[in-house]
Amino acid sequence: MLCYIICLFAVIISANCGLAPFITPCETQNDTCTLAAAQAALPYVAAGLPELGVKPLDPLNIPLINSDQGGLSLTFTDNVVTGLKNCKIDGIRHDITKPKQSVVIRCSIDQSGHYKLSGKLIILPVEGEGRYNINIRDIVIKMTSEVRIIQGEDGKPHWHVNKWKHAYQVKTNAHFQFDNLFNGNKILAEPVEAFMNNNWNDVMQEVAPPVVYSIVSAVMDTIESLFKAVPADELAIS
Ligand SMILES: *[C@@H]1O[C@H](CO)[C@@H](O)[C@H](O)[C@H]1NC(C)=O
């Protein structure tokens, strides 16, 4: 009992004076508590924590996204993504005693930057270079990761994301705007833009994977840098 009280105090003290005071440590098997704690911590983490080496997620700068797949070559540069701080966590499984953890987030994000497209967009030939905007309403992303405990630079146990994968689906819609398609030829550009916006779900599945991958990578990097900076015992009670 005494030990229990001391431990309880230790947890309260570490929660209040620790490196991450915005995180309420939960028992690792308690998903209800973990979900509430993660949701509460999200805006702090998304804003960036320079003292912990955690880069901001909102706005998120992605210098380069490119892919060459299915006959379409795509290069997005100087990309800025906003909205990640308002993501809702729909579900979380973070029982560190199991090899697999998962988080489901639901976000509405806006992304803009410079694009270069050439090739075939599903069925239509497409060509162009200029500014772009993509607005995605309610993308649900499931991230599954393997988290291990490793010894940190401070000599304490830390969580470490060993590997991860993701899957996504857009629930409401996505809107695409590509300025200067076909060098500004509106007769060629308008049908392509109409096609994209009428078939936003196909475009999201076939064209957006490298975009979503870049966003999820940044989220996982942020989680990993938080795990690296903050010992496991400040993030959960084991
Ligand atoms: C899980 O956490 C919630 C909220 O923090 C708490 O109300 C609940 O009693 C906990 N459940 C268990 C089984 O410990």
Side-chain angles (χ1 to χ4, degrees):
M1 186 64 195
L2 184 63
C3 173
Y4 178 77
I5 292 168
I6 292 168
C7 289
L8 195 66
F9 266 99
V11 166
I12 292 166
I13 290 163
S14 77
N16 289 336
C17 324
L19 292 164
F22 49 87
I23 292 178
T24 315
C26 296
E27 288 180 55
T28 62
Q29 275 97 337
N30 188 335
D31 291 336
T32 316
C33 176
T34 306
L35 191 146
Q39 185 70 67
L42 194 140
Y44 295 94
V45 177
L49 302 160
E51 65 283 12
L52 299 180
V54 177
K55 289 193 212 131
L57 280 175
D58 198 351
L60 170 64
N61 295 305
I62 306 176
L64 174 69
I65 301 169
N66 66 24
S67 85
D68 203 334
Q69 255 187 0
L72 181 73
S73 115
L74 158 170
T75 306
F76 288 169
T77 46
D78 300 323
N79 309 285
V80 181
V81 180
T82 56
L84 288 170
K85 69 170 183 290
N86 298 321
C87 292
K88 291 281 163 286
I89 300 173
D90 274 2
I92 202 161
R93 268 178 188 282
H94 195 261
D95 177 352
I96 187 79
T97 61
K98 306 262 165 61
K100 256 193 207 161
Q101 284 85 46
S102 66
V103 187
V104 179
I105 57 171
R106 175 186 294 263
C107 313
S108 287
I109 51 187
D110 298 309
Q111 178 171 336
S112 62
H114 186 269
Y115 80 94
K116 196 171 176 179
L117 287 174
S118 79
K120 220 167 166 190
L121 177 78
I122 307 174
I123 54 158
L124 289 182
V126 57
E127 195 77 51
E129 187 171 359
R131 298 285 312 165
Y132 80 89
N133 261 298
I134 304 176
N135 314 102
I136 305 172
R137 294 293 153 258
D138 292 313
I139 184 170
V140 174
I141 307 173
K142 180 172 183 176
M143 299 177 276
T144 311
S145 57
E146 186 185 294
V147 177
R148 293 218 183 124
I149 291 186
I150 57 164
Q151 192 181 0
E153 279 161 18
D154 55 6
K156 293 181 182 169
H158 283 251
W159 290 340
H160 160 64
V161 180
N162 197 42
K163 53 183 176 188
W164 58 268
K165 58 181 184 175
H166 76 289
Y168 69 91
Q169 203 182 358
V170 177
K171 296 288 183 190
T172 302
N173 66 41
H175 183 263
F176 305 90
Q177 185 199 333
F178 291 92
D179 293 349
N180 200 43
L181 275 173
F182 300 102
N183 224 348
N185 183 332
K186 288 209 185 317
I187 295 166
L188 293 173
E190 275 167 9
V192 171
E193 277 208 281
F195 174 83
M196 281 181 189
N197 288 309
N198 291 332
N199 298 278
W200 58 266
N201 205 14
D202 298 328
V203 177
M204 279 307 296
Q205 288 306 323
E206 297 196 22
V207 182
V211 173
V212 179
Y213 178 85
S214 300
I215 295 172
V216 177
S217 284
V219 172
M220 296 311 291
D221 283 352
T222 293
I223 293 173
E224 179 64 8
S225 47
L226 186 68
F227 288 175
K228 200 170 174 201
V230 183
D233 65 0
E234 282 192 41
L235 298 173
I237 305 159
S238 49

